[in-house]
Amino acid sequence: MKSQRAELVADTAIALLAERGMRGLTHRAVDEEAGLPPGSTSNLARTRLALLELTLERLTELEVETFTALLDAGGAPPPEAPGALDVLTELAARTLWEQLTVGRRRTIARYELALEATRRPELREVYDRAGGRFR
């Protein structure tokens, strides 16, 4: 992420997507919710697409941090190692738990962005590139 202001804008956009959906995400709403002067979000991300891209970039950063911590904590063994299935099952359960509890807002925001990406080819490219890091 480029700056603290960019992180604030993107984190606020994630929260707005989770709370209000795609229609509730506007430059003005981000400014108000983040306590920024009017026009701050627009100055950082001129267009709606730029705001969505900034949000997706931040969401990807947060998800990478979360999954890295889960993998480090779980110590995923090679698939052929004894007990690997049990360890991988536990890791999958912890990941699902994370996504449905602590990371619930990010999960909802990710779904909102995925739906929007089905309607906007330019966002689809960004979304697919970000998703490639996890696949």
Side-chain angles (χ1 to χ4, degrees), residues 23-125:
R23 285 187 169 175
L25 178 63
T26 65
H27 288 78
R28 181 175 290 145
V30 173
D31 287 342
E32 290 171 4
E33 190 73 19
L36 295 170
S40 296
T41 298
S42 183
N43 188 43
L44 186 65
R46 264 291 162 230
T47 64
R48 181 161 180 81
L49 178 61
L51 178 58
L52 295 173
E53 287 178 358
L54 180 73
T55 304
L56 185 56
E57 177 184 334
R58 177 65 175 155
L59 184 60
T60 302
E61 284 178 7
L62 294 170
E63 301 270 292
V64 166
E65 288 174 11
T66 297
F67 290 127
T68 299
L70 285 168
L71 286 171
D72 289 347
E80 65 278 354
L85 184 57
D86 292 337
V87 173
L88 293 174
T89 301
E90 174 63 26
L91 181 59
R94 276 190 278 139
T95 301
L96 184 58
W97 176 256
E98 166 69 28
Q99 293 301 304
L100 296 176
T101 58
V102 178
R104 181 178 181 274
R105 291 169 78 175
R106 289 194 316 254
T107 299
I108 294 170
R110 186 178 346 89
Y111 288 148
E112 288 285 342
L113 288 165
L115 288 170
E116 186 68 10
T118 65
R119 299 176 197 99
R120 299 181 123 206
E122 63 277 15
L123 183 60
R124 175 92 259 157
E125 290 178 31

